[in-house]
Amino acid sequence: LTVSHNDSMIDYPHSMASTYSLHLCPCCVQPFTDANQAARHLLMCNRHPPGREIYRDMQRKALVFEVEGAVETAFCQNLALLSKFFLEHKALDYDTTPFVFYVLTVVTAIGCEVVGYFSKEKDTPDGYNLSCIMTLPHFQGRGAGRFLIELSYEMSLRLGSYGSPEKPLSDLGERTYRSYWQERIIEATLANDAAGTALTAEALAKQTGISPTDVVSTLQSLQLFDGRGGGIKLSSSIISDHIRKRQRVLAVGADHFVFEKLRLSWAASDYLVLRLKASSTSVPTHTLYVGCDVDDE
């Protein structure tokens, strides 16, 4: 992986900041100023991110690693530095201690290549389930951003809580999240209609893991509130459009990343252990990035 010189290079050590381009290991994102150095590094590299594997789909060759920022500092800092090349207006902080990183990779002939990631603050009073999200450009358009968003909400559900991305969102991030929220809310509404169950915004939040505020704003944008009884009503056009979108998703090839929750080997107790570790360490109140961005898929 090679990145060309731009303003983001100034955040790297001085010996690297002045070079025209950086060569990064595709598996551990360690940067090098020389391509030959990067090639020699691959002979010794573990060829996968550090941390704990929590998701495996060998049909699509997708693996996810949970990496604690307080333990794997060098890797997480390199990942954050790399993100600055592709995410505009992000405030970088070198202290990754308060965060845990969830790194999506794809198995290739080289190893487990980093596709993208999202970071999450281990102890957030605002209930954010995602601080920053990034998909590398050469993997965009394959559903990686959507995969990571679905993963973040499945974790919220397993924690028995609501989730929401850190605000403010970019325009691109807003569109991607809005699309996800709409699909999940429509799916849940259709399932409840089929069961003959009355549905409220609060019930939708509990079923989807989406925060009540985001649920209400999505219902309002779709004009789904039934003015007569205050319930939720789907029009035939919304249902038809939703079915077409689902058919397109089901038709994607094996090179697309599709999240399947049954493949996730992760429990609420795993995250509580990380939070206990974080609480025993003095951590700052700032976040690694302000807002988030995703590829529009």
Side-chain angles (χ1 to χ4, degrees):
L1 174 62
T2 302
V3 290
S4 299
H5 186 90
N6 67 21
D7 291 340
S8 297
M9 299 279 273
I10 63 175
D11 295 304
Y12 281 88
H14 180 72
S15 59
M16 295 183 177
S18 58
T19 189
Y20 178 75
S21 60
L22 285 177
H23 305 272
L24 292 93
C25 173
C27 304
C28 73
V29 296
Q30 183 173 338
F32 300 91
T33 57
D34 181 78
N36 292 326
Q37 289 179 327
R40 288 194 295 270
H41 161 81
L42 273 174
L43 299 175
M44 302 176 290
C45 181
N46 290 327
R47 302 202 180 195
H48 63 76
R52 183 173 72 96
E53 181 186 329
I54 61 170
Y55 184 97
R56 175 177 292 205
D57 180 356
M58 293 316 298
Q59 178 182 352
R60 299 183 184 277
K61 300 181 178 180
L63 280 73
V64 177
F65 293 84
E66 181 181 62
V67 187
E68 190 178 355
V71 177
E72 302 294 346
T73 305
F75 172 81
C76 294
Q77 286 180 348
N78 285 332
L79 197 60
L81 286 166
L82 175 60
S83 301
K84 283 210 69 180
F85 282 94
F86 312 113
L87 303 178
E88 297 180 357
H89 312 303
K90 303 306 176 190
L92 176 67
D93 191 294
Y94 289 95
D95 186 5
T96 61
T97 302
F99 297 89
V100 59
F101 294 72
Y102 295 95
V103 186
L104 172 62
T105 69
V106 62
V107 179
T108 69
I110 296 174
C112 294
E113 294 192 40
V114 173
V115 173
Y117 79 97
F118 76 85
S119 61
K120 176 179 178 178
E121 198 169 4
K122 283 176 273 192
D123 194 7
T124 168
D126 299 308
Y128 295 134
N129 66 353
L130 185 147
S131 296
C132 176
I133 182 170
M134 185 273 294
T135 302
L136 289 171
H138 54 294
F139 288 112
Q140 290 182 5
R142 292 171 56 181
R146 173 62 177 259
F147 179 103
L148 291 167
I149 290 173
E150 289 193 53
L151 171 59
S152 71
Y153 278 105
E154 177 59 25
M155 289 178 166
S156 293
L157 286 170
R158 294 190 184 190
L159 285 168
S161 63
Y162 306 127
S164 185
E166 189 174 319
K167 309 299 192 302
L169 291 168
S170 67
D171 292 341
L172 186 58
E174 178 76 26
R175 289 198 302 271
T176 307
Y177 263 95
R178 185 68 66 184
S179 174
Y180 171 76
W181 292 335
Q182 289 177 358
E183 288 187 33
R184 289 289 289 120
I185 288 170
I186 292 171
E187 286 173 359
T189 304
L190 287 172
N192 279 272
D193 285 349
T197 308
L199 198 59
T200 63
E202 184 69 21
L204 277 173
K206 289 180 179 179
Q207 288 184 25
T208 62
I210 301 170
S211 73
T213 300
D214 294 332
V215 168
V216 170
S217 68
T218 303
L219 291 172
Q220 290 173 337
S221 69
L222 288 173
Q223 298 181 335
L224 294 185
F225 281 121
D226 185 350
R228 292 170 296 178
I232 298 168
K233 181 71 174 178
L234 294 177
S235 67
S236 57
S237 61
I238 287 178
I239 295 173
S240 298
D241 185 57
H242 174 72
I243 291 173
R244 284 194 295 270
K245 287 181 179 178
R246 292 305 302 165
Q247 288 174 338
R248 288 199 298 269
V249 170
L250 294 174
V252 299
D255 63 331
H256 272 63
F257 301 98
V258 178
F259 179 73
E260 298 178 43
K261 64 181 181 181
L262 294 180
R263 297 184 185 275
L264 178 61
S265 179
W266 188 92
S269 57
D270 301 326
Y271 190 68
L272 292 176
V273 169
L274 294 180
R275 288 190 63 182
L276 286 172
K277 289 181 180 179
S279 64
S280 64
T281 306
S282 177
V283 298
T285 57
H286 50 249
T287 53
L288 185 66
Y289 284 107
V290 178
C292 58
D293 212 345
V294 289
D295 54 302
D296 191 15
E297 298 169 346

